[in-house]
Amino acid sequence: MFRTRYDEEEKLWSGIDMPSVFNERVSLGHAILWTLQKNPAKIGQINSETKIQLTNADIRLKTIQAAQNLQKLGYGKGDVFAICARNNHYVAPIAFASLCLGCPLNTLDTSFGEPELTHMLSITRPKVVFCDADVSELIECVLEKIEIEAKIFTFIGGDGNSIPVEELFTETNDEDHFTVAEVDGENDVAFIICTSGSTGLPKGVCLSHAILLNQCSQFDNDHQDIVFTFSSLYWISGVIILISTTLNGSCRIITTEKFTPELMVAIIEEHQVTQFVSASHYLVLALGCEQFFRANWSSVRSILCGGSKLSTVVACQMLQHVKNGEIRSCYGMSEMGGVMSSGSVRELSDESNGNIIPGLQIKIIDDNGDRVGVNEVGEICTKYKYKFIGYYGNEEATRGATDSEGFLLTGDVGYFDESGNIYFVDRKKEMLKYCSSQISPIEIEQFLMKHDYIQVACVIGIPDPVAGDLPAAVIMLRENAEISTEVVEGMIADHFTDYKQLRGGVYFVDAIPLTPSGKVVRRVVKELAIELYNKRKY
């Protein structure tokens, strides 16, 4: 899919660049309206619950109407908008209207509570908030608390203090003369994406029109594809799918429902989905569902997985049923606009995340900041051909995000092999150190989750004044499964060297907390493990 070039002298890996399809100086909104006009009769979106279908012409018209009616209300270029909504059928034209006006769109999750909303809305201070009706009251309270007078538009109903979003789709009688706001594609913000918040409150990643145009125009879908994801616009994957399916002429399947394995299977079968974009842990849950094994997967040509490291065991089990397609393990981050590499998993040994995307450069550095070469592990540092704009309203974090050469310090540990494949090892901050020996929690977690009874495992370090970190495993078993501490400790003893043994203990829990993007909230798991360790100790 991608190709990597290695400069041995510079110790630098580069994705083989390809010419951009769109001019990087133009607005995403301009590119979207132009693309929608090329094939107006094409069905661009299907709502799996209501069965409402929107053609490209429908989406284009509603986009223009929403933009013009927002202009009449006095909003324009540079005004920040926020959206907190599931994937209903009017999200696309509202997002596109924001882009056409040159208004940065801050995407929030409907699961956010008051602390998260207060934090993000205090940073971005939006002029308009688009949200689902069931979260409008909370958002109204938060806005009042932080003294922001933003207009609230609601999807699917509303109350006396909000305006139904449908009012923005009224005729203006001037739709044919709409002009997209001019932007500086490389420097103006299109989206403000929240970081995952797995280690604290989220930051707002600023993504330019240019970086998203480049990412989405080379994404692996085309006019024949039927694409589905559960990701809302809160996730970078949701943004990428919304824009890429539009630019590449695919049909997008949407749902406001939360993920369940049963719903995943039902939607893929009903709509003959050809490309499914999934959080890695969804596949783990799917393999525990009876309906999965009875499903017809013949339409699926690719499953793209991200958010966390994909187990090759899980991928190979999936491939036994997805016989006409492939499963790709993607490595990326919001700061780079989404995917940075993608590798096909065909067998258990395929642990890499593949070659890197065009326009991306990566260096691997050691603890001294020196570049290292092939098969040498260090921190992954990235530089895209379009610059990282920064974190919205957080100059300190922006300054600390890059080094003197302009490379983003990802905080991820990894390496490249001789074929230019990148391997993600672990988060730098999550690496454990026992008696000066470094331990990758993910390595142990992936091994534990190969066991049929273990659904999720999280390995953290119990602080010890002498040894540093005592590795401990917090485990959630599959339904009705039973396994003893001794069995788990025996598995680790038989497979790993002495310093990787679970000296901090094994703890079984009913649930492991996850962020909305499916990542384990390690700080909460660590607090729990320390509490359980201290109870056992004393």
Side-chain angles (χ1 to χ4, degrees):
M1 187 175 178
F2 304 129
R3 289 175 55 214
T4 304
R5 178 189 294 122
Y6 178 55
D7 185 324
E8 189 173 2
E9 184 176 341
E10 294 290 330
K11 294 183 178 176
L12 183 69
W13 289 265
S14 305
I16 305 298
D17 205 4
M18 296 185 298
S20 298
V21 176
F22 294 96
N23 186 329
E24 63 269 13
R25 293 188 295 273
V26 305
S27 162
L28 257 174
H30 177 83
I32 286 167
L33 290 186
W34 181 83
T35 305
L36 291 171
Q37 192 174 31
K38 296 289 286 184
N39 192 359
K42 166 86 176 184
I43 295 173
Q45 178 177 282
I46 301 174
N47 187 316
S48 68
E49 297 144 55
T50 64
K51 311 306 177 189
I52 292 175
Q53 299 183 359
L54 294 180
T55 64
N56 287 344
D58 295 329
I59 297 170
R60 187 176 188 276
L61 178 61
K62 291 183 184 300
T63 296
I64 292 172
Q65 289 172 339
Q68 290 180 323
N69 283 309
L70 285 164
Q71 283 178 323
K72 288 180 180 179
L73 292 171
Y75 303 110
K77 183 181 176 183
D79 291 334
V80 174
F81 294 166
I83 188 166
C84 183
R86 303 167 185 88
N87 285 332
N88 72 74
H89 50 277
Y90 287 147
V91 163
I94 289 298
F96 295 163
S98 303
L99 295 170
C100 288
L101 292 176
C103 296
L105 187 61
N106 179 207
T107 60
L108 308 170
D109 194 72
T110 54
S111 71
F112 275 4
E114 184 179 340
E116 294 88 354
L117 286 171
T118 300
H119 173 72
M120 284 308 304
L121 293 175
S122 295
I123 293 172
T124 59
R125 304 191 72 81
K127 298 287 184 68
V128 175
V129 179
F130 304 99
C131 65
D132 286 347
D134 61 353
V135 298
S136 64
E137 185 176 344
L138 174 59
I139 287 175
E140 185 179 348
C141 290
V142 169
L143 291 172
E144 184 176 350
K145 173 185 172 183
I146 58 181
E147 299 181 344
I148 295 177
E149 294 183 6
K151 198 175 290 291
I152 299 175
F153 290 91
T154 49
F155 298 100
I156 314 174
D159 55 37
N161 297 320
S162 64
I163 305 167
V165 77
E166 287 85 350
E167 291 193 13
L168 292 175
F169 302 131
T170 56
E171 291 184 9
T172 65
N173 299 316
D174 196 32
E175 288 88 351
D176 290 340
H177 300 101
F178 175 68
T179 303
V180 175
E182 289 189 12
V183 301
D184 178 347
E186 293 190 57
N187 295 294
D188 285 351
V189 179
F191 279 88
I192 304 169
I193 305 293
C194 297
T195 56
S196 65
S198 58
T199 57
L201 287 170
K203 297 188 288 289
V205 176
C206 296
L207 295 177
S208 68
H209 293 256
I211 197 170
L212 288 170
L213 264 175
N214 197 66
Q215 276 269 6
C216 295
S217 61
Q218 64 188 15
F219 202 77
D220 183 31
N221 48 42
D222 61 33
H223 69 282
Q224 294 180 313
D225 275 315
I226 300 170
V227 183
F228 172 57
T229 183
F230 281 98
S231 300
S232 70
L233 294 188
Y234 164 70
W235 291 331
I236 184 62
S237 56
V239 172
I240 293 294
I241 292 305
L242 172 66
I243 299 171
S244 68
T245 52
T246 303
L247 295 180
N248 298 331
S250 308
C251 176
R252 182 174 57 254
I253 308 299
I254 62 170
T255 180
T256 62
E257 297 293 326
K258 291 183 178 179
F259 167 85
T260 66
E262 294 80 8
L263 181 60
M264 178 192 83
V265 169
I267 290 175
I268 288 174
E269 282 196 299
E270 178 184 354
H271 296 283
Q272 293 292 284
V273 169
T274 61
Q275 186 179 74
F276 177 47
V277 179
S278 173
S280 298
H281 71 284
Y282 286 173
L283 302 193
V284 177
L285 298 173
L287 288 169
C289 167
E290 275 188 36
Q291 194 173 337
F292 167 84
F293 298 98
R294 299 194 301 268
N296 180 359
W297 293 88
S298 61
S299 67
V300 177
R301 71 169 184 84
S302 68
I303 297 177
L304 306 180
C305 295
S308 58
K309 189 172 176 67
L310 175 66
S311 163
T312 57
V313 173
V314 170
C316 290
Q317 289 174 342
M318 288 288 295
L319 280 173
Q320 295 175 22
H321 305 276
V322 186
K323 298 184 182 299
N324 296 332
E326 64 173 352
I327 296 176
R328 301 194 71 87
S329 176
C330 300
Y331 170 57
M333 60 191 307
S334 299
E335 286 86 343
M336 289 291 105
V339 174
M340 295 193 293
S341 71
S342 172
S344 182
V345 182
R346 299 181 183 86
E347 53 191 38
L348 289 175
S349 60
D350 288 335
E351 295 281 357
S352 88
N353 293 110
N355 278 210
I356 62 176
I357 64 170
L360 183 70
Q361 292 183 326
I362 293 182
K363 64 178 180 179
I364 308 290
I365 61 172
D366 61 20
D367 290 340
N368 297 318
D370 297 324
R371 297 188 185 192
V372 299
V374 173
N375 288 319
E376 293 185 82
V377 176
E379 183 175 1
I380 299 169
C381 305
T382 65
K383 183 194 285 187
Y384 203 33
K385 66 178 179 180
Y386 303 115
K387 70 178 183 181
F388 170 58
I389 297 178
Y391 299 107
Y392 194 89
N394 193 336
E395 291 184 10
E396 182 180 354
T398 299
R399 285 194 299 269
T402 55
D403 66 11
S404 59
E405 296 179 310
F407 281 83
L408 185 77
L409 305 171
T410 67
D412 293 339
V413 175
Y415 65 95
F416 281 92
D417 66 15
E418 297 86 348
S419 300
N421 295 308
I422 190 169
Y423 292 74
F424 168 72
V425 175
D426 216 324
R427 289 288 295 164
K428 188 175 181 179
K429 291 180 181 178
E430 290 160 8
M431 293 288 284
L432 308 182
K433 187 169 283 190
Y434 174 77
C435 295
S436 300
S437 295
Q438 290 208 103
I439 302 168
S440 165
I442 283 184
E443 180 188 17
I444 300 174
E445 291 164 1
Q446 293 287 324
F447 172 75
L448 288 172
M449 286 191 289
K450 291 178 182 179
H451 194 287
D452 292 339
Y453 291 176
I454 297 176
Q455 182 164 314
V456 182
C458 178
V459 173
I460 53 84
I462 304 292
D464 183 85
V466 177
D469 293 308
L470 302 179
V474 180
I475 293 172
M476 182 174 75
L477 298 175
R478 296 190 184 278
E479 191 174 357
N480 299 322
E482 291 184 12
I483 188 173
S484 69
T485 297
E486 291 73 23
V487 168
V488 174
E489 290 175 338
M491 289 168 58
I492 301 300
D494 291 343
H495 188 78
F496 291 103
T497 189
D498 179 70
Y499 68 84
K500 295 182 181 180
Q501 300 308 302
L502 299 175
R503 290 176 168 85
V506 176
Y507 307 101
F508 297 102
V509 296
D510 294 330
I512 287 181
L514 303 175
T515 67
S517 57
K519 296 179 181 178
V520 172
V521 186
R522 290 183 179 269
R523 69 183 186 279
V524 176
V525 176
K526 183 170 183 174
E527 289 170 2
L528 174 62
I530 291 172
E531 181 183 341
L532 295 172
Y533 174 81
N534 288 332
K535 284 181 180 179
R536 186 186 72 172
K537 184 177 178 181
Y538 300 110

